Amino acid sequence: MPVERITYGRQFIDEDDIAEVVRVLRSDFITRGLVSEGFESGLAANTGASYAVVFNSGTSALHGAYFAAGMQQGDEFITSPTTFVATANAGMYLGARPLFADIEPDTGNIDVAKIEPLLTKKTKLLVPVAFAGHPVDNEGVFELARRYNLIVVEDACHALGARYRSKDTSHTGPATYTNVGASLHAHMSVLSFHPVKAITTGEGGAVLTNDKALYDKLRSFRQHGINKDMSKDGEPWLYEMQHQGYNYIMTDFQAALGLSQLGKLAGFIQKRRHIAKTYNEAFDDNPYFYTPPERDYAQSAWHLYFIRLKDGYKERKAQVIDRLRHAGVGVAVHYVPVYKHPFYREMGYVSGLCPVAEDFYQREISLPIYPSLSDTQVRDVIERVYAVMSEMAV
Ligand SMILES: Cc1ncc(COP(=O)(O)O)c(C=O)c1O
């Protein structure tokens, strides 16, 4: 019997979601309108942020956040090399230069201690990335930002639904958890709604903030720099373009999908946490690889379940992946350090810049995790992983 192929990540869309999209498609308005506004209110309410601005991708949302932060030609920003290229690319759109701070070896998140030595007079922004949905220790990042007058944009594209416990109880009271995106320790948090993310709109993204001035800039940047609130007596049609902007609008039928999905977010995260716990228990203390940690302060959204091969296996990672795929286990690798891509190499970034991120990349493999993965499939993945690894035992 052929083995069932288990993919590494996929969306979960049910008949309710489809009905909501169809309802909008049958209505008079299909691009931005009341449904998009409803999705924005829903995102703000769900995370605890004051404002949400939806975009047509996580990448355009990052572009908007960097613009709203005032980033321009010649500025520098500091981010993690262990991320999707979009995090760095969106700053390059504005003529700014990314600098890469090395990561923690186990979470894959930026190592806060590595940021300060990279600061220069040109630094404008700090961009921590919540890798795999595990919150960054953002209080440390925010404290640095306060001292050096910098803006923090959190790339939370993996982390909708994650929570963290603040060490600073003045905001949150004792031992309470805060949602990623509530922006207590970031000026803006950016989300993606790509199909493998916590919820999907096909393509889509959002910026969350508590700052009204940033909110206004994000909204006009999304629509050609146009301010629609200019109507005057006698000229109710008036709108003015105040600065250069883009068409980064999300359609209402995508927003309908997003809003419907948002109602399922808590269940999706619960399912992801259940799968991660099952993997963690099954793989505890195995001789082949390390399992992903969850810090005391964090409740991960478990966007990815990543393993890190131990010495003796990391050298044969290509073979491990090949054998896992052959055994029907869909896996992916996150991430080639951004500066190692040819485009960045040609700009002068050199290998060895972030040794921990390079080592992490050599070891990392992401296993299947998504809400519709059944307990039987999880058990199959565990069995097949053990079978492949024991064949390769050193
Ligand atoms: C960490 C990170 N940042 C940014 C993005 C960009 O989001 P999108 O694909 O929605 O443009 C992604 C998406 O893959 C991501 O994983």
Side-chain angles (χ1 to χ4, degrees), residues 95-107:
R97 178 179 164 78
L99 297 185
F100 298 99
D102 213 344
I103 59 168
E104 297 175 339
D106 55 349
T107 62

Side-chain angles (χ1 to χ4, degrees), residues 273-286 289-294 302 305-307 378 382 386:
R273 292 186 64 77
H274 166 72
I275 295 167
K277 186 165 175 279
T278 310
Y279 280 150
N280 277 342
E281 284 167 5
F283 295 139
D284 189 33
D285 263 348
N286 81 80
F289 53 81
Y290 304 101
T291 54
E294 192 175 41
W302 291 108
Y305 185 89
F306 61 93
I307 60 173
V378 172
I382 292 165
Y386 268 121

Side-chain angles (χ1 to χ4, degrees), residues 6-10 271-272 275 368-373 377:
I6 301 171
T7 179
Y8 111 88
R10 59 162 294 139
K271 186 70 202 289
R272 286 177 179 275
I275 295 167
I369 188 164
Y370 45 94
S372 60
L373 193 66
Q377 287 173 314

Side-chain angles (χ1 to χ4, degrees), residues 163-170 172-178 296-297 299:
R163 286 151 41 101
Y164 65 93
R165 197 175 55 224
S166 182
K167 284 173 239 152
D168 170 6
T169 52
S170 62
T172 54
T176 47
Y177 281 83
T178 305
D296 282 352
Y297 71 82
Q299 289 180 358

Side-chain angles (χ1 to χ4, degrees), residues 54-314:
V54 293
F55 283 76
N56 59 2
S57 72
T59 306
S60 56
L62 279 166
H63 190 188
Y66 295 167
F67 171 84
M71 194 147 78
Q72 32 182 303
Q73 183 81 33
D75 286 341
E76 291 176 354
F77 60 109
I78 298 173
T79 189
S80 165
T82 302
T83 184
F84 185 52
V85 287
T87 319
N89 291 351
M92 307 266 293
Y93 301 164
L94 294 162
R97 178 179 164 78
L99 297 185
F100 298 99
D102 213 344
I103 59 168
E104 297 175 339
D106 55 349
T107 62
N109 280 343
I110 200 162
D111 181 343
V112 179
K114 302 276 171 59
I115 296 176
E116 200 166 3
L118 298 177
L119 296 173
T120 73
K121 287 202 175 69
K122 295 181 188 166
T123 314
K124 185 63 129 302
L125 276 183
L126 303 181
V127 188
V129 180
F131 177 76
H134 187 293
V136 177
D137 180 6
N138 265 354
E139 278 168 297
V141 179
F142 208 57
E143 171 52 28
L144 261 182
R146 230 189 321 244
R147 255 193 291 138
Y148 291 95
N149 200 22
L150 305 170
I151 292 183
V152 180
V153 174
E154 174 184 36
D155 183 335
C157 286
H158 293 185
L160 176 62
R163 286 151 41 101
Y164 65 93
R165 197 175 55 224
S166 182
K167 284 173 239 152
D168 170 6
T169 52
S170 62
H171 291 297
T172 54
T176 47
Y177 281 83
T178 305
N179 296 321
V180 163
S183 296
L184 287 183
H185 301 105
H187 298 91
M188 288 173 271
S189 303
V190 177
L191 306 174
S192 162
F193 308 126
H194 175 276
V196 296
K197 301 299 196 303
I199 63 170
T200 191
T201 58
E203 295 287 346
V207 185
L208 303 163
T209 185
N210 294 332
D211 184 318
K212 174 72 166 64
L214 293 173
Y215 170 67
D216 289 339
K217 280 188 202 157
L218 288 161
R219 279 165 53 96
S220 64
F221 184 77
R222 178 180 62 185
Q223 195 172 11
H224 292 288
I226 286 172
N227 183 345
K228 283 197 164 166
D229 300 327
M230 302 302 299
S231 59
K232 295 178 191 154
D233 281 351
E235 291 177 292
W237 58 84
L238 195 65
Y239 62 83
E240 285 183 346
M241 181 188 150
Q242 307 281 358
H243 56 81
Q244 197 177 38
Y246 293 77
N247 179 357
Y248 280 163
I249 287 171
M250 175 185 280
T251 65
D252 257 18
F253 53 92
Q254 289 174 292
L257 179 56
L259 193 52
S260 180
Q261 292 256 300
L262 193 59
K264 305 183 183 66
L265 175 65
F268 287 165
I269 298 295
Q270 210 176 9
K271 186 70 202 289
R272 286 177 179 275
R273 292 186 64 77
H274 166 72
I275 295 167
K277 186 165 175 279
T278 310
Y279 280 150
N280 277 342
E281 284 167 5
F283 295 139
D284 189 33
D285 263 348
N286 81 80
Y288 315 114
F289 53 81
Y290 304 101
T291 54
E294 192 175 41
R295 296 266 196 268
D296 282 352
Y297 71 82
Q299 289 180 358
S300 176
W302 291 108
H303 165 58
L304 303 173
Y305 185 89
F306 61 93
I307 60 173
R308 288 163 298 133
L309 298 175
K310 293 190 174 177
D311 291 346
Y313 297 94
K314 76 164 186 180

